Amino acid sequence: KRQCYVTKVGKCQVNLGNIQEKKRFLSDIFTTIVDLKYRWFIFMMCCIVTWVVFGTVYFFNAWAGCDIRHRGDPEWRACIKNVDSFVSALLFSVESQQTIGYGSQMVTANCTKGIILLMARSIVGSMIDALMVGCMFVKISRPKKCAQTLIFSKNCVISRRDEKLCLMFRMGDLQDSHMVDAKIRAKLIKSRQTAKGEFIPLEQSELNLGYDTGEDHLFLVEPQIICHIINHRSPFWDMSADSLHWEQFKIIIILEGIVEATGNCLPAGMTCQAHTSYAADETLWGYRFEPCMSLEKGAFRVDYSRFEMTFEVQTLAASTKE
């Protein structure tokens, strides 16, 4: 099975390992927490850890202040009332952070340490709540999920258009609110060996999708067929229909734009980026995409059931160079 650099749904299959300076993640703690999964972010990082830590501090304070030793003594002036075990200390930690306050555990004026601990607990709890709210807002409002409504054709095709051999793929947006300032790019990922014998793994080459003419900026209202003209500057210059079968490459498609629904709400809008990829066996030589748009009364209709359909056309098997 071939290794996949980028999957069809846009996930990069590159795992980072042997990172020596992991303290760099702590310098950007906000992004690190935002990138965590929800189950770790909510329960482990923000709630349970702080509850247990401050519960341990309260229990140690009760043990050092002899509150546990005088449990049940009505004449003993406890620092924190009814905190005489680790369970009660943990319960008081939860109540003080979440401001529940059932009234059983409470700080008294009998010692200064308890008041200082409660002040520190309130400050840390407020900071954690603010961090949680900020991170949850960012995680919910991240436009990462909007890429799921941007679809790409399963295959790309190679055929002639305007007497030029072209590599083409189709993409569309399923949302009623479309992307603003959408821009498309493509990279060819292919390993090669130089004339001097140097092996370059996963070399990236740019595929021109019209950045010199402005055609890479899309008005993505209906499905569009994106075209790469195979000329002497293209990496597919010397590739023929026969050599396509044993080639090993990956075409990475990158679409970037601003979500229209947030373009007027935020200073810079919410930038969305979608990825997909095409391998050599997903490239069809001598095919075109079938039209998926039709005219109906007062508007155009897009039939997405024909989005993936292709048909065979007469195309020379020779490369552009030949």
Side-chain angles (χ1 to χ4, degrees):
K1 186 178 179 179
R2 293 183 179 180
Q3 296 294 331
C4 187
Y5 188 77
V6 175
T7 63
K8 297 294 290 184
V9 296
K11 183 179 179 180
C12 297
Q13 298 287 80
V14 178
N15 298 322
L16 305 180
N18 296 328
I19 300 177
Q20 303 297 328
E21 299 183 8
K22 293 187 177 181
K23 61 182 181 181
R24 293 177 180 268
F25 293 104
L26 297 178
S27 62
D28 190 11
I29 187 66
F30 186 80
T31 305
T32 303
I33 295 177
V34 167
D35 289 337
L36 289 177
K37 294 182 179 179
Y38 276 100
R39 58 181 179 268
W40 294 103
F41 167 68
I42 297 176
F43 296 104
M44 299 300 296
M45 293 298 297
C46 296
C47 296
I48 297 180
V49 172
T50 56
W51 292 343
V52 172
V53 168
F54 275 92
T56 305
V57 173
Y58 290 137
F59 177 74
F60 179 77
N61 178 71
W63 176 79
C66 300
D67 290 344
I68 298 178
R69 187 184 307 174
H70 293 83
R71 180 189 305 176
D73 187 355
E75 297 183 358
W76 176 254
R77 302 175 64 185
C79 181
I80 304 177
K81 184 181 289 187
N82 295 326
V83 175
D84 49 15
S85 65
F86 179 75
V87 177
S88 60
L90 180 61
L91 183 60
F92 180 69
S93 177
V94 175
E95 291 178 357
S96 58
Q97 178 175 338
Q98 305 304 127
T99 63
I100 300 174
Y102 286 109
S104 177
Q105 290 88 8
M106 58 188 301
V107 177
T108 63
N110 297 328
C111 67
T112 308
K113 293 185 296 182
I115 299 176
I116 295 176
L117 277 176
L118 184 61
M119 292 171 62
R121 185 72 183 91
S122 300
I123 294 173
V124 174
S126 300
M127 294 174 61
I128 292 176
D129 291 340
L131 184 64
M132 278 190 63
V133 171
C135 290
M136 285 296 295
F137 174 76
V138 172
K139 289 178 77 70
I140 294 173
S141 61
R142 286 171 90 180
K144 189 175 182 180
K145 293 297 182 182
C146 85
Q148 311 243 345
T149 59
L150 298 170
I151 59 174
F152 298 86
S153 58
K154 183 179 179 181
N155 299 298
C156 61
V157 298
I158 295 179
S159 60
R160 300 187 69 84
R161 173 185 280 186
D162 295 332
E163 301 302 322
K164 298 177 182 178
L165 194 64
C166 301
L167 182 142
M168 294 170 284
F169 61 92
R170 182 148 62 185
M171 59 164 301
D173 189 0
L174 302 179
Q175 289 283 7
D176 290 333
S177 58
H178 305 287
M179 298 185 67
V180 179
D181 194 24
K183 187 175 181 180
I184 190 79
R185 295 174 55 206
K187 291 280 188 180
L188 178 69
I189 310 295
K190 182 180 178 182
S191 301
R192 73 178 181 92
Q193 191 170 10
T194 64
K196 298 293 184 178
E198 178 188 4
F199 180 73
I200 305 177
L202 303 178
E203 184 184 40
Q204 299 186 14
S205 303
E206 187 77 19
L207 297 181
N208 188 355
L209 299 181
Y211 57 81
D212 51 349
T213 60
E215 296 178 0
D216 59 332
H217 288 75
L218 307 178
F219 182 53
L220 200 57
V221 177
E222 80 285 349
Q224 295 192 15
I225 298 177
I226 311 301
C227 177
H228 164 67
I229 300 176
I230 301 177
N231 51 26
H232 65 282
R233 296 182 179 179
S234 172
F236 297 100
W237 168 248
D238 55 354
M239 188 178 299
S240 63
D242 295 331
S243 63
L244 181 64
H245 295 291
W246 51 265
E247 285 283 353
Q248 294 189 20
F249 62 82
K250 203 76 171 178
I251 302 173
I252 311 300
I253 308 299
I254 306 169
L255 175 68
E256 186 173 355
I258 299 174
V259 182
E260 185 182 45
T262 64
N264 298 325
C265 300
L266 300 177
M270 295 171 61
T271 302
C272 174
Q273 193 174 90
H275 309 88
T276 192
S277 63
Y278 298 102
D281 55 356
E282 296 170 333
T283 305
L284 306 179
W285 189 286
Y287 283 81
R288 287 180 189 165
F289 289 104
E290 288 192 4
C292 62
M293 289 191 63
S294 60
L295 181 62
E296 64 179 16
K297 187 176 181 180
F300 293 92
R301 178 178 177 82
V302 179
D303 185 5
Y304 275 101
S305 64
R306 307 176 64 86
F307 185 82
E308 302 281 357
M309 292 184 179
T310 58
F311 63 96
E312 192 172 3
V313 293
Q314 186 176 2
T315 306
L316 293 176
S319 65
T320 309
K321 181 179 179 180
E322 294 172 336

